[in-house]
Amino acid sequence: MLDIRLSHASAGPSVDGMDTTPQKIAFLGLGSMGLPMARRLLDAGHLLTLWNRTASKADALVADGAVRAATPAEAVRDADVVVTMLADPAAALAVADEMVPALRPGTQWIDTSTVGPDTVAALAARLPAGVTLIDAPVMGSVDRAATGELMILAGGDTAPVAAVLDRLGTVTPCGGPGAGAALKLVLINAAIGGVALVAEALTLAGALGLPRELALRTLGAGPLAGAVGRATATGSYFPVALAAKDVALATSSAKLPVLEAVHGLLTADPALLAEDLAVVAR
Ligand SMILES: NC(=O)c1ccc[n+]([C@@H]2O[C@H](COP(=O)([O-])OP(=O)(O)OC[C@H]3O[C@@H](n4cnc5c(N)ncnc54)[C@H](OP(=O)(O)O)[C@@H]3O)[C@@H](O)[C@H]2O)c1
């Protein structure tokens, strides 16, 4: 690992204009999404310090050269860039309270968690002078996190962290702070609602005596094609519990009776909460 870092230490802007200079990155939140994202940053030669509530999830990356921090504050103390990928608003706020006092001026903090614009505003309100927060939640699941093909919905100026974000996926600039978090709620709720609708269409097809395969194939040739693709995906792991969290964030922002019904569907069976969202269509 030392060799990799030394070989990148003298790197600078490459001929294609992408800055490959290694940065000191603190990555907090090594769940299903955070772990493959952190792996991509380590493999790019960045100097990576990790913190996760369950410390053992960092073991494989530490074995490959990342540094384990005992606390969120220790993780971010020397960072140029902080990346967080945490479950929900409660987790993001709890980790922020621990790490924010240790952020130094000039640090760029990228929050990739799906927490909604209200929480982004609450995080921003905690920032010390000279620290910038970029909301950058992502579309795409664990498969695209591993290959660096996430759709990154960014609120704020991403130019100073382009080298980090480009390693994780493709940035869609959404506007000022909070705009990425807002668009993420729009896109993920449309996707979840689409999967729920496919599930009901399949239930109707079954009640009418139609083969499931015929219904899926013809639905997939129409306007719900993307939702059918997600409802039958095998490489994704977006647990029903996280989907329900995202629907709740949406229904607390606007009157959305269809999504309120979808929330009821998602939370009806506790045994399904840890399953991928595609379970609702099975
Ligand atoms: N999975 C997907 O397909 C997908 C796709 C796009 C966006 N997202 C979003 O990305 C975020 C992370 O998703 P994920 O699938 O990686 O979830 P996950 O596997 O459940 O990981 C959640 C992370 O948050 C940490 N965490 C939870 N509660 C915490 C607390 N109170 N204090 C400190 N840390 C806490 C967990 O720590 P432990 O390891 O200790 O539990 C873990 O590191 C979510 O906002 C999700 O909606 C997920």
Side-chain angles (χ1 to χ4, degrees):
M1 188 57 220
L2 187 60
D3 287 342
I4 294 172
R5 290 183 176 189
L6 288 175
S7 71
H8 282 79
S10 58
S14 64
V15 282
D16 62 5
M18 187 178 287
D19 190 350
T20 56
T21 306
Q23 293 183 288
K24 288 186 197 163
I25 301 175
F27 202 112
L28 298 89
L30 301 171
S32 303
M33 292 293 287
L35 196 58
M37 291 165 68
R39 161 66 68 188
R40 285 193 61 78
L41 296 174
L42 183 66
D43 288 352
H46 291 294
L47 306 167
L48 202 60
T49 301
L50 306 171
W51 178 84
N52 193 59
R53 181 180 62 177
T54 306
S56 60
K57 290 189 186 173
D59 287 353
L61 294 180
V62 170
D64 288 342
V67 173
R68 191 194 320 264
T71 64
E74 186 184 312
V76 305
R77 194 161 289 133
D78 295 321
D80 303 312
V81 179
V82 173
V83 183
T84 44
M85 186 37 136
L86 297 157
D88 53 24
L93 292 166
V95 172
D97 283 341
E98 290 194 56
M99 77 174 195
V100 159
L103 291 170
R104 56 177 187 170
T107 304
Q108 303 275 338
W109 171 16
I110 307 167
D111 181 40
T112 63
S113 327
T114 304
V115 292
D118 291 349
T119 297
V120 170
L123 295 174
R126 289 163 159 75
L127 293 184
V131 176
T132 306
L133 174 64
I134 299 152
D135 49 300
V138 302
M139 291 293 288
S141 192
V142 293
D143 43 1
R144 284 162 61 184
T147 55
E149 295 176 291
L150 296 168
M151 177 194 281
I152 301 168
L153 305 167
D157 179 13
T158 60
V161 292
V164 174
L165 293 180
D166 287 347
R167 186 74 190 145
L168 303 176
T170 303
V171 174
T172 297
C174 301
L183 185 59
K184 165 73 196 219
L185 288 190
V186 173
L187 299 189
I188 192 62
N189 276 279
I192 295 166
V195 170
L197 196 55
V198 169
E200 290 219 335
L202 292 173
T203 300
L204 176 60
L208 297 176
L210 293 166
R212 177 183 168 87
E213 182 279 327
L214 173 66
L216 267 179
R217 179 159 43 85
T218 49
L219 279 167
L224 282 178
V228 171
R230 182 59 189 87
T232 55
T234 54
S236 301
Y237 181 58
F238 178 48
V240 170
L242 289 179
K245 174 263 301 181
D246 290 348
V247 176
L249 286 169
T251 57
S252 68
S253 304
K255 185 163 169 49
L256 304 167
V258 173
L259 283 169
E260 277 168 17
V262 169
H263 190 268
L265 171 78
L266 294 175
T267 53
D269 184 353
L272 298 185
L273 291 175
E275 299 283 329
D276 177 63
L277 177 64
V279 75
V280 303
R282 281 202 290 273

